[in-house]
């Protein structure tokens, strides 16, 4: 429940005035519904008694009928306004939360990002945030409206029909309603969680099957994959059916509780009427108000059945929404050394225009060290200074302007070559072509559709080496002070690798470069520079 309260606070703070107005209208809708039935019941009873007494012609029917019309129209208008305000505020809050969560995922440790399955993370975030709309729309607002409406109805019935009628309605509805909803929530925890988990597994499975359909066809595993998805779908549907059964059963019991409250109100009204405390029309009000109060429990049934889906989603969202660490406010040191690195007893200094190669056996930690320098990991215990400051002491935006890293896994998006290069924020065509020339990729792109060449998901349409060079071209466009390269020549033939390294240096003459390499360590770019062996 703590997670629900924290999420509730986040959503309300996102649009407090819209939420407050929507809450007032939600309460007003239920109050108008209870007042409408109460007034209608009083009006019908009073006119019937006036007719029986033979004084119908003297009975004022205009003001009560006007009140009935006012309440009916007002209730419809309030319902529309409540839906408009609360749904708009909730959707805005959830949209902002979704963007914030995606930003926080993007700030994860570099190793985590390399191992992250983007579609799985995106699907999880979208589903979790979508589940949270029930916190406001199906839990908070209905509970608030039900509590306020019952309190006001109790006070009004006490005043109009007497304490016995008011107490009969309150005792008939509230305890039974609470017990039924608590039992419904408890029994719905397991099926609602199962339904959500299986739905997520189904989405991921469909994405994986579509993405790997060629491999599935070639290996003959397509039918097995389809059957696994169908079984997941059957499990999810079975859990949803269990939820529906639980909700309908709770609805039936609530209806029975409502009938009991109605009978108690009728008996209490008869008792106060026999004692002469109120007239017959006033005694009948409790019966109609008891009938109207049943509306307060209808939206709560669906919200309570989804509690098993909402609570885990809230916990996951809160774990992602922890405040990001704030960089220290150290002043910038004007140090001529672009990179100062000490690992054990090894030391490396890179100034403007210098380059060094980082060598060592596979798995020894070269990539981890580069991630640490780039401020994307905290695993390495190396002592690092970039322009006089530790990477953790830089503001994120400033560090990204100063340092660019090209990892082993090159990531491209579906779209044009122009779209992929424009991710750097540089849209000048001449700069784009210069960057492609630097990585020996310009001729390949010119022979196709130029910068408008379409690439598929993940950059499909380019070979592995071309994909790597496209990522290097993006790094060239950034023109950083420090460029970190993790196996930049992997997948390239010797001649092309030499051209790419020379082209990068020619395009970025003032950039300090540190590259982790297994081959091409003797390239002239690094020949006269410092080599660090780990």
């Amino acid at each position: 429940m703590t997670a629900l309260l924290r999420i509730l606070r986040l959503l309300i703070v996102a649009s407090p005035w819209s939420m407050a107005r929507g809450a007032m209208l939600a309460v007003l809708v239920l109050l108008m519904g209870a007042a409408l039935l109460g007034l209608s019941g009083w009006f019908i009873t009073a006119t019937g008694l006036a007719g029986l007494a033979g004084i119908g012609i003297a009975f004022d029917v205009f003001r009560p009928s006007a009140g009935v019309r006012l309440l009916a129209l007002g209730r419809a208008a309030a319902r529309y306004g409540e839906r408009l305000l609360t749904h708009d505020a909730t959707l805005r809050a959830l949209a902002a939360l979704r963007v914030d969560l995606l930003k926080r995922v993007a700030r994860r440790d570099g190793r985590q990002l390399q191992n992250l399955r983007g579609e799985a993370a995106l699907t999880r975030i979208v589903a979790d945030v979508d589940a949270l709309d029930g916190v406001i729309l199906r839990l908070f607002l209905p509970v608030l409206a039900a509590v306020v409406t019952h309190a006001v109805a109790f006070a009004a019935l006490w005043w109009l029909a007497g304490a016995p009628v008011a107490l009969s309605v309150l005792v008939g509805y509230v305890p039974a309603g609470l017990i039924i909803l608590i039992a419904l929530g408890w029994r719905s925890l397991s099926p609602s969680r199962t339904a959500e988990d299986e739905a997520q597994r189904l989405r991921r499975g469909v994405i994986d099957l579509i993405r790997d359909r060629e491999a599935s066809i070639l290996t003959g595993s397509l039918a097995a994959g389809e059957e696994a998805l169908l079984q997941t779908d059957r499990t999810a549907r079975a859990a949803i059916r269990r939820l529906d059964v639980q909700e309908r059963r709770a609805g039936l019991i609530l209806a029975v509780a409502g009938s009991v409250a109605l009978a108690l109100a009728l008996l209490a009204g008869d008792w106060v009427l026999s004692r002469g405390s109120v007239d017959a029309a006033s005694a009948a009000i409790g019966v109609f108000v008891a009938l109207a109060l049943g509306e307060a429990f209808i939206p709560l049934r669906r919200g309570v059945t989804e509690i098993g889906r909402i609570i885990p989603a809230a916990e996951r969202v809160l774990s992602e929404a922890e405040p990001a660490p704030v960089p220290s406010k150290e002043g910038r040191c004007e140090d001529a050394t672009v990179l100062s690195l000490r690992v054990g007893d090894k030391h490396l200094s890179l100034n403007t225009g210098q380059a060094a190669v980082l060598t060592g056996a596979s798995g020894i930690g070269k990539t981890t060290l580069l991630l640490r320098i780039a401020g994307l990991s905290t695993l390495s215990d190396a002592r690092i200074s970039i322009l006089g400051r530790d990477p953790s002491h830089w503001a994120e935006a400033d560090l990204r302007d100063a340092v660019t890293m090209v990892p082993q896994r090159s990531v491209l998006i579906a779209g044009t070559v122009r779209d992929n290069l424009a991710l750097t924020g540089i849209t000048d065509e001449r700069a784009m072509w210069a960057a492609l020339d630097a990585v020996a990729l310009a001729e390949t792109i010119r022979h196709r559709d130029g910068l408008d060449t379409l690439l598929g998901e993940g950059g499909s349409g380019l070979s592995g080496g071309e994909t790597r060079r496209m990522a290097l071209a993006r790094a060239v466009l950034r023109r950083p002070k420090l460029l970190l390269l993790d196996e930049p020549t992997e997948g390239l033939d010797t001649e092309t690798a030499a051209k790419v390294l020379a082209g990068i240096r020619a395009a970025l003459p003032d950039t300090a470069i540190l590259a982790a390499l297994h081959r091409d360590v003797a390239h002239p770019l690094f020949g006269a520079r410092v080599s660090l062996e780990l």
Side-chain angles (χ1 to χ4, degrees), residues 1-11 94 97 101 124-125 127-135 139 193 196 306-322:
M1 293 303 294
T2 302
L4 284 182
L5 294 176
R6 291 175 63 190
I7 284 293
L8 178 62
R9 180 179 177 276
L10 285 176
L11 297 179
L94 293 178
L97 181 60
L101 290 175
R124 179 80 266 172
I125 287 174
D128 284 345
V129 174
D130 286 346
L132 297 181
D133 65 358
V135 176
L139 288 176
R193 285 180 177 174
E196 177 64 16
E306 293 184 356
I307 200 80
R309 172 180 176 234
I310 293 173
I311 291 178
E315 291 171 347
R316 285 189 293 266
V317 166
L318 288 173
S319 67
E320 291 285 356
E322 292 299 324

Side-chain angles (χ1 to χ4, degrees), residues 367-392:
T367 297
T368 300
L369 181 57
L370 291 180
L371 291 170
R372 172 74 175 87
I373 296 171
L376 297 173
S377 176
T378 58
L379 296 180
S380 175
D381 58 357
R383 295 176 59 187
I384 302 167
S385 175
I386 299 173
L387 295 173
R389 280 192 289 173
D390 186 276
S392 63

Side-chain angles (χ1 to χ4, degrees), residues 439-520:
V439 297
L441 192 58
E443 285 304 313
T444 300
I445 300 301
R446 285 191 180 98
H447 288 153
R448 299 175 71 174
D449 292 327
L451 296 178
D452 294 321
T453 300
L454 282 173
L455 305 178
E457 183 180 356
S460 62
L462 297 178
S463 67
E466 290 169 344
T467 299
R468 185 176 300 275
R469 281 183 281 164
M470 184 69 71
L472 290 169
R474 285 197 305 219
V476 170
L477 278 173
R478 294 283 298 171
R479 307 193 68 82
K481 292 180 173 61
L482 174 62
L483 177 61
L484 306 174
L485 304 175
D486 194 358
E487 301 293 348
T489 60
E490 189 70 25
L492 304 180
D493 60 76
T494 303
E495 181 182 356
T496 303
K499 287 181 180 179
V500 168
L501 292 175
I504 291 174
R505 170 47 77 207
L508 303 173
D510 297 326
T511 296
I513 300 175
L514 179 61
L517 289 173
H518 281 105
R519 43 173 289 209
D520 301 305

Side-chain angles (χ1 to χ4, degrees), residues 118-447:
E119 70 279 3
L122 179 60
T123 301
R124 179 80 266 172
I125 287 174
V126 170
D128 284 345
V129 174
D130 286 346
L132 297 181
D133 65 358
V135 176
I136 292 288
L137 300 177
R138 298 191 184 97
L139 288 176
F140 172 68
L141 288 180
V143 167
L144 176 65
V147 170
V148 174
T149 301
H150 277 77
V152 174
F154 176 74
L157 285 176
W158 190 301
W159 174 50
L160 294 173
V165 175
L167 288 172
S168 67
V169 174
L170 185 68
V171 171
Y173 256 123
V174 176
L178 287 176
I179 293 172
I180 293 167
L181 291 176
I182 291 173
L184 175 61
W186 179 259
R187 297 172 68 89
S188 299
L189 283 176
S190 177
S192 61
R193 285 180 177 174
T194 300
E196 177 64 16
D197 291 342
E198 294 302 311
Q200 289 304 309
R201 188 175 292 111
L202 181 62
R203 292 188 185 100
R204 292 194 297 270
V206 170
I207 292 172
D208 290 342
L209 192 63
I210 293 175
R211 183 187 58 197
D212 302 331
R213 58 189 180 278
E214 292 89 353
S216 299
I217 293 172
L218 291 175
T219 58
S221 60
L222 184 61
E226 290 178 349
E227 179 57 33
L229 291 179
L230 289 173
Q231 180 57 44
T232 301
D233 181 62
R234 285 191 288 268
T235 304
R237 290 178 182 275
I240 292 173
R241 282 194 296 271
R242 289 169 57 197
L243 279 178
D244 290 340
V245 169
Q246 294 291 345
E247 184 185 357
R248 288 196 296 269
R249 188 175 297 165
L252 174 62
I253 300 174
L254 282 171
V256 172
S259 299
V260 171
L262 193 68
L264 289 175
L266 185 61
L267 292 174
D270 180 67
W271 186 76
V272 295
L273 179 62
S274 65
R275 292 175 58 89
S277 302
V278 296
D279 58 72
S282 297
I285 292 178
V287 175
F288 292 93
V289 170
L291 188 63
L293 289 178
E295 183 185 7
F297 292 97
I298 294 176
L300 281 172
R301 284 163 40 197
R302 175 48 61 180
V304 169
T305 57
E306 293 184 356
I307 200 80
R309 172 180 176 234
I310 293 173
I311 291 178
E315 291 171 347
R316 285 189 293 266
V317 166
L318 288 173
S319 67
E320 291 285 356
E322 292 299 324
V326 179
S328 64
K329 301 298 183 181
E330 294 183 6
R332 177 165 178 167
C333 177
E334 295 298 334
D335 194 330
T337 303
V338 177
L339 173 65
S340 177
L341 174 65
R342 185 177 295 277
V343 184
D345 59 349
K346 304 291 180 64
H347 180 262
L348 169 68
S349 292
L350 284 179
N351 295 318
T352 300
Q354 292 185 330
V357 62
L358 190 63
T359 62
S362 296
I364 202 170
K366 300 186 297 297
T367 297
T368 300
L369 181 57
L370 291 180
L371 291 170
R372 172 74 175 87
I373 296 171
L376 297 173
S377 176
T378 58
L379 296 180
S380 175
D381 58 357
R383 295 176 59 187
I384 302 167
S385 175
I386 299 173
L387 295 173
R389 280 192 289 173
D390 186 276
S392 63
H393 295 162
W394 284 74
E396 178 71 16
D398 294 337
L399 184 60
R400 295 301 142 234
D401 285 339
V403 182
T404 294
M405 178 178 175
V406 181
Q408 292 185 38
R409 284 181 57 189
S410 303
V411 179
L412 302 180
I413 63 172
T416 64
V417 170
R418 187 194 310 276
D419 294 334
N420 278 274
L421 295 178
L423 291 174
T424 61
I426 308 298
T427 57
D428 181 69
E429 289 195 8
R430 287 179 298 179
M432 289 182 178
W433 281 116
L436 292 172
D437 275 322
V439 297
L441 192 58
E443 285 304 313
T444 300
I445 300 301
R446 285 191 180 98
H447 288 153

